[in-house]
Amino acid sequence: MIPVTEFRQFSEQQPQFRVLKPWWDVFTDYLSVVMLMIGVFGCTLQVMQDKIICLPQRMSMPNQTILLPNKTELVSPAVPQEMHEMMGLKTNLDLQQYSFINQMCYEKALHWYAKYFPYLVLIHTLIFMVCSNFWFKFPGSSSKIEHFISILGKCFDSPWTTRALSEVSGENPEEKDKKCSASRAILNVSVEGNLDDLEKTQSLKSIPEKIVVDKPTASALEKKEGEQAKALFEKVKKFRLHVEEGDILYIMYVRQTVLKVMKFLLIIAYNSALVSEVQITVKCNVDMQDMTGYKHFSCNHTMAHLFSKLSYCYLCFVAVYGFTCLYTSYWLFYRSLKEYSFEYVRQETGIDDIPDVKNDFAFMLHMIDQYDPLYSKRFAVFLSEVSENKLKQLNLNHEWTPEKLRQRLMTNHNNRLELQLFMLSGLPDTIYEVTELQSLKLEIINNVTIPASIAQLEDLQELSLYQCYLKIHATATSFLKENLKVLRVKFDDSRELPHWLYHLRNLEELYLIGSLSPDASKNVVLESLRELKNLKTLSLKSNFTKIPQSIVDVSSHLQRLYVYNDGTKLVMLNNLKKMVNLTELELVHCDLERIPHAVFSLTNLQELDLKENNLHSIEEIVSCQHLRKLTCLKLWHNSICYIPEHIKKLGSLERLYFSHNKIEILPSHLFLCNKLRYLDLSNNDIRFIPPEIGVLQSLQYFSVTCNKIENLPDELFFCKKLTTLKLGKNTLSLLSPKISYLVLLTHLELKGNHFELLPPELGFCRALKRGGLMVEDALFETLPSEIRDKMKTE
């Protein structure tokens, strides 16, 4: 026996699936129940009552002698009196013989339709019921249906749905509640009335009384609902991507409907032809004379009359069922059910960005509409990006309170109070309450919208946008034009490069990082900068092959130009000649093989940086003598093999960078640049330091780390202004006691050499402490204990 509890899962799932059952499916389900009752009733009659009752039928012939059962004498038919006796009702059959005759005639003489009619009804009805619900049980479709119904119920009951529909319909819950509160105050409404109003608007969480009395509880509740709605948006997105890929639900429903129509036609066809075979009187001609003495029998089908009526009734129900299925087929094939448009929802709610859907997603929504169109309307809220953005904004405002934002304020290198936000879903409105903010840095934040309320940040002067797609209000643009001093933009495509930057007339510093091209046929082009009248610093990190013409627009007032290429060869530099007011120029990683001649026209240039290029020879350095204001020259990270004699003509140099090259010999004329304060020769192949280094009496920083130096000239220690001396990773074995001359020394690096001990004269370097002495611990222990203790004291 099968326990009833085995069918509990079907009864439990059915209420969940009712939303996907249109009226015709519900109607046919009831018809199936009625037909099932007909089948069960017929089967019960078959089992409980006699199926057929038969009596022998005497077939007399002239001059035939009939042997009666249990009689030994012969009776001649010619005798009228005896014949009359034989024509009586006695058959002399016992009960077992009658039962045998009934069974044989039921099996042999009764038509199969009359025998199996109730079973056929039962089987056909069960097939109908299976076909109607098969798509709810099939693994490939049931999982999608269960997931859809689960999401649908949550979307329908979500407070965010009510809030979103109220906002777009023009109802402002907060204003409505404030009006109600004012009316209650004027009219002095009873407390019960207030409580009723609270219950009606509680889901909106914007009741003024509640905010005043218990603000933290309301905020926490809103945050919880916001997080739930945010999770629903993600579920709907993933479900839509998954379901729109196929149409298995539509195919399953079409197939089961077609199967029911074919079943209906089959039942109507053979039942109409065979219903007449259900007769009350049945002739039975079965040869049982050896056992009963009779060959012909007349039988009565006891349930023929009832089965005949049930069959006609069953045909009527099947006909209604079939016509309903035909209507379903018409609905399936003559309507575009694999596409669903939310046009009526867009018109009714005003949410214009609700997308149309297709395939199984569309089909399920069509089915939902047959149940209640309100489900689709509320579900559509979670397909709208506008609605999602509003929710994200609400969640952001709850998460990023003004107090939390103030805690993240830091002072940047420009000595401005800076707020950095990274990978948020949007820009919280609470930022505009932090009025002391001076610098705002946004990284990897999509769909950033800057409203007019940015004007509240009166001290804002610096804005950094790193891979942010930005939309800005017209009023906010006017504010930035007047107040913004520094703008940094890192972009991957043209959408992330704001077009309003070309109109910031008070902008002083502009930093652009991304793929820019001077060719108008490319995607991202640097447009004219002529409106940037106050621009003094321009930094471009891109892949130029020539200096963009748009830079010439600011040549009259541009003072600092930084070009960082990605290794692309910078060929055309003629536009540099027009930058007559440049004081700083950096051409980094531009694959330059020589110092560009255009540089020598920049008579106001003070700092030149040619880092990470492909320089082998710098003979052109003689032309730098025309740059009389040049104080800093950076030729580091190149392939320079030697320093030319002409470098002595750069008498104004104060800082010189030659690190990370291939220099082997230091020429003595290098030290004729007697104004040098900073000299970096690290990471080369230098073996010897000329004694002429003693000429550099202004030298404060000297580094020869990572070379092959074996000895130090005593003249080095005559540079008494040295504060930093880096001698690490060489082959030095002795440190001169004249190190004591460097009384201003604060940083001394000796690691990676062959020293066996340190001179005690290090104790005269009063400014040198243990933290500034970079040496192995064992070597440090060779100093006298009093010197060690003195260095360890801060």
Side-chain angles (χ1 to χ4, degrees), residues 103 196 246 568 685 687:
Q103 290 292 334
D196 293 339
T568 304
D685 297 322
R687 297 179 180 273

Side-chain angles (χ1 to χ4, degrees), residues 457-458 460-461 478-485 506:
L457 306 178
E458 297 178 354
L460 184 66
Q461 297 180 356
S478 301
F479 170 80
L480 294 178
K481 284 181 181 180
E482 299 297 331
N483 292 270
L484 202 61
K485 304 295 183 183
N506 287 326

Side-chain angles (χ1 to χ4, degrees), residues 197-215:
D197 292 333
L198 286 175
E199 292 177 359
K200 291 179 182 178
T201 58
Q202 187 175 3
S203 63
L204 299 179
K205 301 176 187 60
S206 56
I207 303 167
E209 294 88 350
K210 189 168 184 178
I211 292 177
V212 173
V213 176
D214 194 9
K215 183 176 179 179

Side-chain angles (χ1 to χ4, degrees), residues 16 38 57 131 222 305 412 483 608-609 683 770 792:
Q16 299 177 6
I38 293 174
Q57 184 178 5
C131 288
E222 281 188 353
H305 180 74
N412 63 10
N483 292 270
L608 175 62
D609 189 350
N683 295 90
R770 180 65 182 97
K792 290 179 181 178

Side-chain angles (χ1 to χ4, degrees), residues 573 576 587 592 594-601 608 610 615 620:
L573 296 138
L576 281 179
L587 301 175
L592 299 176
R594 292 185 177 275
I595 300 176
H597 289 282
V599 172
F600 306 132
S601 302
L608 175 62
L610 300 177
L615 298 177
E620 304 85 0

Side-chain angles (χ1 to χ4, degrees), residues 487-499 501-502 510-529 538-551 561-566 568-570:
L487 176 63
R488 293 180 174 87
V489 181
K490 182 179 181 180
F491 56 92
D492 290 331
D493 55 47
S494 57
R495 296 186 308 165
E496 297 175 356
L497 183 63
H499 295 287
L501 73 86
Y502 302 106
L510 176 60
Y511 301 85
L512 300 179
I513 304 174
S515 180
L516 286 168
S517 174
D519 187 357
S521 64
K522 303 295 183 180
N523 292 331
V524 186
V525 179
L526 186 62
E527 299 178 7
S528 176
L529 305 175
L538 177 60
S539 175
L540 303 173
K541 190 173 183 179
S542 187
N543 53 349
F544 294 116
T545 57
K546 61 180 180 180
I547 299 297
Q549 181 64 31
S550 53
I551 299 180
L561 176 62
Y562 309 126
V563 177
Y564 302 88
N565 255 15
D566 60 356
T568 304
K569 191 176 184 62
L570 191 60

Side-chain angles (χ1 to χ4, degrees), residues 495-649:
R495 296 186 308 165
E496 297 175 356
L497 183 63
H499 295 287
W500 44 264
L501 73 86
Y502 302 106
H503 308 289
L504 302 175
R505 54 176 172 264
N506 287 326
L507 192 68
E508 296 179 359
E509 300 179 23
L510 176 60
Y511 301 85
L512 300 179
I513 304 174
S515 180
L516 286 168
S517 174
D519 187 357
S521 64
K522 303 295 183 180
N523 292 331
V524 186
V525 179
L526 186 62
E527 299 178 7
S528 176
L529 305 175
R530 63 172 55 94
E531 292 190 31
L532 308 183
K533 302 296 184 181
N534 293 309
L535 189 65
K536 294 180 174 58
T537 301
L538 177 60
S539 175
L540 303 173
K541 190 173 183 179
S542 187
N543 53 349
F544 294 116
T545 57
K546 61 180 180 180
I547 299 297
Q549 181 64 31
S550 53
I551 299 180
V552 180
D553 298 333
V554 292
S555 60
S556 60
H557 46 81
L558 191 66
Q559 297 179 3
R560 290 171 289 275
L561 176 62
Y562 309 126
V563 177
Y564 302 88
N565 255 15
D566 60 356
T568 304
K569 191 176 184 62
L570 191 60
V571 180
M572 300 180 65
L573 296 138
N574 293 331
N575 287 333
L576 281 179
K577 296 180 180 180
K578 302 176 183 179
M579 311 288 173
V580 292
N581 292 316
L582 277 184
T583 59
E584 295 182 19
L585 175 62
E586 293 185 10
L587 301 175
V588 178
H589 208 188
C590 297
D591 196 26
L592 299 176
E593 296 180 359
R594 292 185 177 275
I595 300 176
H597 289 282
V599 172
F600 306 132
S601 302
L602 307 178
T603 55
N604 290 314
L605 196 63
Q606 298 177 12
E607 183 175 330
L608 175 62
D609 189 350
L610 300 177
K611 180 182 178 182
E612 294 181 352
N613 282 284
N614 194 24
L615 298 177
H616 290 81
S617 173
I618 53 173
E619 291 292 341
E620 304 85 0
I621 203 170
V622 65
S623 299
C624 288
Q625 62 182 323
H626 303 295
L627 307 179
R628 302 191 180 279
K629 295 182 181 181
L630 187 65
T631 59
C632 179
L633 179 60
K634 298 181 180 180
L635 300 174
W636 48 349
H637 295 270
N638 281 281
S639 301
I640 300 172
C641 298
Y642 67 96
I643 301 175
E645 180 182 355
H646 310 297
I647 196 168
K648 64 183 179 182
K649 297 182 180 180

